[in-house]
Amino acid sequence: MLFLPPMQSFYLQWINQIGFNWTTWFVLTSILIIGWVCWRNSRYVRLINTVPGPEGLPILGNLLELNVGQVEFLRIVHREWVEKHGPIYRGWGGSRAIVCISSPELMEPILASQKLITKGKEYSYLSKWLGACMFLTTGQRWRSRRRLLTPAFHFQILENFFDVFNDQSHQLIKELETAADSCPKVDGSVNVYKILTQCALDIICDSSMGRQVRKREETAGYLHSINRITQIVMERSLRPWLDSDLMFNLSSLGRENRQCVQILHDFTNQVIRDRKKTLNVNNNQTDSGDQIKSQPENSPKRRLAFLDLLIQASENGDKLSDDDIREEVDTFMFAGHDTTATAMSWFLYCIARNPDEQKLLFDEVDEIFEDDERPCTPQDAANLKYLDCCIKETLRMYPSIPGVMRTITEDTEIGGYVLPAGLSVALLIYGMHRNPKVYPEPDVFKPERFLPEHSANRHPYAFLPFSAGPRNCIGQKYAIFELKVVLSWVLRKFEFSLSDPCCPAVSASSEIVLKPVDGIHLTVKPRKPRSIAA
Ligand code: HEM
């Protein structure tokens, strides 16, 4: 005893004080072992263990294998285990099981179900930031939010956003020109991911929130906090001891999470305040009872559908509190910029690696726009067929959201296995898109896969960048229009190449959104349409 360090002797004294002896030790251990055996033999665990999966350690399950960075996590969960255990497998993170599904046939019954609409438990890690917003909530609350916001994505409303997409593309071109000029002076490359992230944030603020974000320093903190908060969610989900809010709040990650949430809320509160102020000024000026209806089709006021809808709903029917509005604004700002920024960045990366496909894209934009500086219209977007295939192939290889999660709310049979109520299910979108049984040569960029003649026989659930069923992406059409306008402008003005064609492929990190590790660095060169260049 004399050699015990002070802490240990303190514990022994404490144990003696609470009357600990070997009998107590034996009883406690026996209770733990009996509890564990009962749990192992419970119906819930037995049902889950009928699903194949990687061997795990007692109590820890597969946690040690998954104690890796997000790049490795993506490789193991979406590729290695899918190859080894098939389209449905289970893994254990301590006492928490997750069943992972990666085939169109097995995803369909879950995504198409009107009952299985509850998100996975892990989504609640976002609730300090996003509250009970449409993205996280379920049941009646989700249904009424979805119904309230769906009109904001009606085709006629979306058409009005083309002005914003075109205006912001001009701003982007200026930024790319400046970056391309300084390219040779730096290391010969431009981090297009950084520039496109700012562009995507400007677009969502300008189109849906009525706020033009111009000052870069204003948004820097916001973008950094989003980045960190999505990493924190992933780190937390792999540390079961941080699952409880109490433990998390006491941890350094919890503290950092709180700081990020504060910065994000300050930013969105300011967006809402500004919009309310503008609406009040307009109301006073026109003295009209129904502002939105009285606006001409193309006025900026008319196209600001999203935030205005929320503010109207809060004023008219008392349906939404200020916090409710902020939660939805937070959600749309996040879901509406991070996803499109990564999609555009991976697109440029794919075409830089595939110069033949890039030339075909130049042919298409040159034919449609010639040397005209005119804006991209909805009709142009419909005519940009090859661009459409390239965007889809990018979203296949790099789906902005690599996986979605559901909680099974009632026992459900999938693939011959009964999945018990309460279980979390991960639908591996990235894993399915990279599965050679679904897409032969999955790592090769082949836009022709999406030509109508090649995709007609594909399973309708084989391509799911926007998920599917009742909880699919509400912003899907908005996102595709945005991508087409911005990318067609970028292709009219620049060509892209890898600064070092032999450099290893950029790694993707799974952080809710599939992010390029260290950004995407490309050589950017101005180009002219062929008719002028010739
Ligand atoms: C390339 C761009 C985009 C991709 C790949 C994408 C993908 C997705 C996916 C996979 C989901 C389902 C998530 C889940 O079930 O957990 C989703 C949901 C959602 N997305 Fe998108 N999204 C994109 C752009 C947008 C945009 C631009 C907006 C808004 C302007 C948006 C708003 C939402 C919202 C609000 C939901 C939740 C819908 C609900 O639960 O009813 N997304 N998105």
Side-chain angles (χ1 to χ4, degrees):
M1 284 298 140
L2 280 175
F3 301 105
L4 281 175
M7 270 317 268
Q8 247 167 304
S9 62
F10 166 78
Y11 277 123
L12 279 181
Q13 274 173 22
W14 176 70
I15 282 165
N16 279 335
Q17 273 168 19
I18 63 165
F20 187 90
N21 57 34
W22 289 113
T23 315
T24 322
W25 173 244
F26 177 76
V27 171
L28 278 180
T29 313
S30 306
I31 289 173
L32 277 178
I33 291 174
I34 291 167
W36 188 71
V37 170
C38 290
W39 174 79
R40 284 277 304 176
N41 288 304
S42 65
R43 177 176 177 273
Y44 179 80
V45 174
R46 271 188 294 114
L47 282 175
I48 293 167
N49 279 336
T50 57
V51 183
E55 284 300 316
L57 295 169
I59 299 175
L60 289 177
N62 307 106
L63 275 181
L64 292 187
E65 290 147 285
L66 294 178
N67 188 18
V68 289
Q70 294 309 325
V71 176
E72 266 298 277
F73 178 86
L74 194 73
R75 189 188 64 75
I76 296 174
V77 171
H78 287 255
R79 303 201 74 168
E80 194 181 304
W81 286 353
V82 171
E83 203 178 310
K84 213 163 162 186
H85 305 290
I88 177 163
Y89 72 83
R90 53 107 191 98
W92 286 97
S95 62
R96 196 189 318 150
I98 294 188
V99 163
C100 298
I101 294 179
S102 59
S103 79
E105 295 77 15
L106 301 185
M107 284 200 193
E108 181 171 3
I110 295 181
L111 289 175
S113 165
Q114 292 290 337
K115 289 185 186 158
L116 301 175
I117 55 163
T118 302
K119 296 284 176 91
K121 184 176 179 298
E122 293 69 14
Y123 286 69
S124 67
Y125 296 162
L126 291 168
S127 61
K128 283 264 172 338
W129 168 30
L130 301 179
C133 67
M134 179 170 72
F135 188 73
L136 302 182
T137 191
T138 188
Q140 202 38 49
R141 186 180 168 97
W142 166 74
R143 270 178 234 284
S144 71
R145 287 291 162 89
R146 180 99 189 188
R147 215 174 300 129
L148 173 72
L149 292 168
T150 297
F153 294 91
H154 190 277
F155 185 77
Q156 277 167 345
I157 303 258
L158 293 182
E159 274 193 330
N160 289 318
F161 291 149
F162 271 70
D163 287 348
V164 178
F165 300 155
N166 279 294
D167 288 352
Q168 294 293 348
S169 300
H170 288 302
Q171 181 67 24
L172 171 69
I173 286 166
K174 277 191 211 139
E175 302 229 354
L176 281 172
E177 271 165 359
T178 314
D181 278 351
S182 55
C183 218
K185 287 170 228 144
V186 197
D187 64 346
S189 69
V190 174
N191 184 358
V192 292
Y193 176 59
K194 196 167 167 216
I195 298 177
L196 287 166
T197 302
Q198 186 64 56
C199 168
L201 183 61
D202 286 350
I203 288 179
I204 192 73
C205 284
D206 193 353
S207 63
S208 309
M209 313 293 164
R211 185 170 202 247
Q212 302 210 345
V213 188
R214 291 277 179 257
K215 286 191 206 126
R216 295 301 178 245
E217 60 279 12
E218 192 188 351
T219 47
Y222 178 81
L223 290 173
H224 171 78
S225 299
I226 286 209
N227 216 17
R228 260 318 277 153
I229 224 165
T230 52
Q231 285 167 349
I232 290 172
V233 167
M234 295 307 286
E235 286 172 40
R236 187 178 177 189
S237 65
L238 292 175
R239 298 179 192 175
W241 59 94
L242 294 183
D243 184 47
S244 101
D245 281 345
L246 180 70
M247 293 302 287
F248 178 68
N249 289 339
L250 290 173
S251 71
S252 58
L253 272 190
R255 272 194 301 280
E256 201 187 344
N257 196 63
R258 275 198 297 283
Q259 285 161 3
C260 292
V261 167
Q262 189 60 51
I263 293 171
L264 296 172
H265 283 173
D266 286 350
F267 187 88
T268 39
N269 278 331
Q270 190 58 43
V271 170
I272 298 167
R273 269 197 300 273
D274 287 356
R275 187 68 199 143
K276 279 187 169 171
K277 218 185 280 168
T278 312
L279 285 179
N280 277 339
V281 169
N282 287 350
N283 275 335
N284 292 340
Q285 275 170 0
T286 59
D287 203 18
S288 154
D290 190 350
Q291 268 288 303
I292 288 181
K293 280 191 200 131
S294 69
Q295 291 294 312
E297 276 288 317
N298 285 330
S299 81
K301 175 82 181 45
R302 168 133 190 128
R303 66 165 197 250
L304 300 170
F306 169 66
L307 183 49
D308 292 351
L309 259 181
L310 290 170
I311 294 174
Q312 257 194 344
S314 71
E315 284 165 356
N316 295 351
D318 244 3
K319 277 190 224 150
L320 297 170
S321 67
D322 282 358
D323 278 351
D324 291 336
I325 297 183
R326 205 213 47 240
E327 287 164 2
E328 297 304 341
V329 170
D330 274 323
T331 304
F332 276 75
M333 297 267 290
F334 165 55
H337 96 272
D338 225 4
T339 47
T340 48
T342 46
M344 292 192 282
S345 308
W346 286 118
F347 173 94
L348 294 185
Y349 174 67
C350 288
I351 63 164
R353 284 176 70 98
N354 295 276
D356 292 344
E357 282 71 14
Q358 188 171 177
K359 280 201 192 85
L360 292 175
L361 284 166
F362 292 156
D363 290 346
E364 185 173 79
V365 291
D366 288 355
E367 197 184 321
I368 291 180
F369 299 102
E370 299 178 333
D371 55 353
D372 204 341
E373 291 283 307
R374 69 179 176 79
C376 177
T377 63
Q379 187 53 51
D380 295 323
N383 293 339
L384 288 160
K385 300 256 191 284
Y386 191 63
L387 177 61
D388 191 66
C389 292
C390 290
I391 290 174
K392 286 184 174 144
E393 180 64 345
T394 304
L395 289 171
R396 178 192 69 79
M397 293 184 75
Y398 299 100
S400 308
I401 298 199
V404 299
M405 298 197 62
R406 295 283 182 274
T407 299
I408 298 290
T409 42
E410 57 187 53
D411 287 7
T412 307
E413 195 187 315
I414 303 284
Y417 302 103
V418 176
L419 306 184
L423 176 70
S424 279
V425 174
L427 305 170
L428 306 180
I429 297 172
Y430 178 87
M432 175 173 74
H433 286 183
R434 295 286 187 127
N435 188 336
K437 290 185 187 132
V438 185
Y439 291 97
E441 297 188 277
D443 299 333
V444 182
F445 183 72
K446 284 188 182 178
E448 63 276 13
R449 292 182 211 267
F450 290 96
L451 289 172
E453 59 271 29
H454 294 153
S455 44
N457 294 331
R458 193 171 294 136
H459 192 289
Y461 282 71
F463 180 61
L464 293 179
F466 296 102
S467 187
R471 293 215 72 161
N472 70 350
C473 174
I474 198 173
Q476 171 169 353
K477 287 202 190 99
Y478 173 106
I480 292 291
F481 282 149
E482 175 182 338
L483 295 185
K484 283 193 170 170
V485 175
V486 175
L487 293 173
S488 66
W489 268 112
V490 167
L491 289 163
R492 282 152 87 174
K493 297 286 176 186
F494 302 99
E495 63 179 80
F496 299 87
S497 55
L498 300 176
S499 39
D500 172 8
C502 304
C503 65
V506 173
S507 302
S509 166
S510 167
E511 295 163 16
I512 305 183
V513 172
L514 192 69
K515 298 212 168 144
V517 175
D518 297 330
I520 287 185
H521 298 260
L522 301 176
T523 300
V524 183
K525 251 176 59 189
R527 75 174 275 272
K528 292 215 170 349
R530 294 225 173 111
S531 56
I532 296 187

